[in-house]
Amino acid sequence: MTETADDLSAPLGRDKPRRKRRLRLPFTAMQLLAVLLGLFLVTFAGFAIFNKDPLGGEPMTRLAIREPSAADKTGDDKPAAASHGQDSKQESKQETRDAPKQAGEQKTVTMIDGSTGTRHDVVIGGDAAGKSEAASASAPPPVMAGIDPKLLEKSRYGMIPAMSGDLKPFNVYAADADRAKAAKMPVVAILIGGLGVGAAKTTDAIMRLPPAVTLAFTPYGSDPGKLAERARAQRHEIFLQIPMEPYDFPDNDPGPQTLLTSLSADQNMDRLYWHLSRIQGYAGLTNFMGARFIATEPAMQPIIREAAKRGLGFFDDGSSPRSIAPQAAGSLAMPFGKGDIAIDAVPTPAEIDRALTKLEAAARERGVAVGTASALPVSIERIGVWTKTLGDRGILLVPLTTAMLKSKSS
């Protein structure tokens, strides 16, 4: 045993003091941080995978409707005693029951901020002064001029198209055309889409393009009905574009009330009725985006059936090669058409002219061809120039409904 100097100088009979051992952890602080971070990432990934969001992150607004209380009528603005969460559940259940049933009836809408719980009341219905913008926006759109009332049906969002005996919106609202002449020579039709949102570009398309060009309106915009009225006054037939889910939704979002593959048939039908009520006088429906939706049979079939039931045609813009719309429409013997060429896929004068030349060639080969375009100034300018000399080249420009009927008969 080896002795140190301290051991020799220490008094006899006394034990050597023991050194205190330091407590050492089995892992370092960095290792602990890494473990905690790993647990967080696993938890987050599990939430993202197993948490089902049928709306795919789509923004939502919740409105709760309640009858005005005695305190509201007397001007006494007392805070609610119940919690925000309880109020939201109770009032949302009363939403349908408490909706105004008559034009002169007033209701109070309690608008609740979903994140803060802040709430304020607005009055809808009746002739009360000072209606809020939200209340007026919820009112059904007015019926457009020149619309046959027999071809309308009331929905909770406003008037939507319907059949009346043998009368169908597709036939009644189709633009005039020389169909006997169209049956004997090659025809082309052009659908200009995305109208109703920008008044300037919509008016430009209405006034600068010939009446045989069909115009498709989105359900958005401050007053698409007025613009649609003007289009019909200039003898254009109109179609209604229905926003449908694309493959990259919600990164690429067509707009509010988009039809989604993740929703039930009833939910999509409710959204469809909202779109149908925005304007009137259209001969048919067409997809606005929607490559995923139009290729998903369980989602698309009910929409096609509803369009057929209401006497409408359906036009597939041709953007989705896997679309089930042709088969679904064929099984119902309803008017159907499909786009052949996107005229302004490359929006330059040279490429638009090249696409129009291809459209002519397709018409000569098959007897009928349909081109689609947006209301870009360059598109309207080139299409306008092209249509002026089309008849000289032995091809007839016809409304979309005429081309759809010729396609069906051929």
Side-chain angles (χ1 to χ4, degrees), residues 39-293:
L39 290 173
F40 172 78
L41 292 176
V42 170
T43 304
F44 180 81
F47 178 81
I49 294 171
F50 298 106
N51 181 51
K52 293 186 180 294
D53 182 5
L55 296 180
E58 185 181 27
M60 294 187 298
T61 301
R62 295 183 179 179
L63 295 179
I65 298 181
R66 62 179 178 81
E67 293 281 1
S69 64
D72 294 330
K73 295 177 182 178
T74 58
D76 187 8
D77 191 16
K78 295 181 180 180
S83 69
H84 162 63
Q86 292 172 337
D87 286 345
S88 300
K89 293 179 181 178
Q90 292 171 355
E91 290 167 353
S92 61
K93 291 178 181 177
Q94 297 174 355
E95 180 173 349
T96 303
R97 186 175 64 248
D98 293 342
K101 299 180 178 61
Q102 298 178 358
E105 186 177 354
Q106 294 185 14
K107 297 291 177 184
T108 298
V109 178
T110 302
M111 304 190 71
I112 305 172
D113 187 318
S115 59
T116 64
T118 304
R119 50 198 294 157
H120 65 276
D121 294 346
V122 294
V123 178
I124 62 172
D127 300 320
K131 289 181 181 178
S132 72
E133 184 178 344
S136 61
S138 66
V143 175
M144 291 162 42
I147 302 302
D148 189 341
K150 295 193 297 293
L151 297 178
L152 292 176
E153 177 183 305
K154 188 176 182 180
S155 76
R156 73 189 190 105
Y157 297 113
M159 305 304 288
I160 61 177
M163 291 176 55
S164 178
D166 293 333
L167 288 180
K168 297 181 179 180
F170 180 85
N171 299 323
V172 172
Y173 300 130
D176 294 333
D178 189 343
R179 292 181 180 173
K181 187 177 181 180
K184 299 176 183 177
M185 60 187 300
V187 302
V188 296
I190 293 180
L191 180 76
I192 304 293
L195 302 179
V197 176
K201 73 173 184 180
T202 301
T203 301
D204 202 31
I206 292 171
M207 303 308 296
R208 293 184 59 188
L209 293 172
V213 173
T214 300
L215 305 181
F217 285 76
T218 69
Y220 308 127
S222 58
D223 195 355
K226 287 294 182 184
L227 295 170
E229 266 184 8
R230 188 170 184 181
R232 297 188 69 244
Q234 294 296 318
R235 296 183 293 119
H236 292 280
E237 72 182 12
I238 64 174
F239 271 56
L240 176 66
Q241 290 183 290
I242 305 297
M244 298 178 180
E245 178 185 357
Y247 278 107
D248 53 352
F249 181 87
D251 293 334
N252 193 6
D253 191 347
Q257 304 286 348
T258 293
L259 305 189
L260 302 174
T261 57
S262 57
L263 298 180
S264 68
D266 288 342
Q267 288 172 312
N268 277 323
M269 198 60 62
D270 185 72
R271 292 186 172 205
L272 177 66
Y273 286 175
W274 184 87
H275 295 304
L276 296 179
S277 71
R278 298 302 94 185
I279 62 174
Q280 299 87 34
Y282 43 89
L285 308 179
T286 180
N287 58 300
F288 179 54
M289 299 172 63
R292 179 190 294 275
F293 192 91

Side-chain angles (χ1 to χ4, degrees), residues 169 182 307 385-386:
V385 170
W386 174 76

Side-chain angles (χ1 to χ4, degrees), residues 163 169 269 272 276 283-285 301-314 332 334:
M163 291 176 55
M269 198 60 62
L272 177 66
L276 296 179
L285 308 179
Q301 278 279 9
I303 305 303
I304 294 290
R305 283 198 300 267
E306 189 69 15
K309 185 181 80 172
R310 298 190 173 279
L312 299 167
F314 189 85
L332 297 168
M334 68 183 293

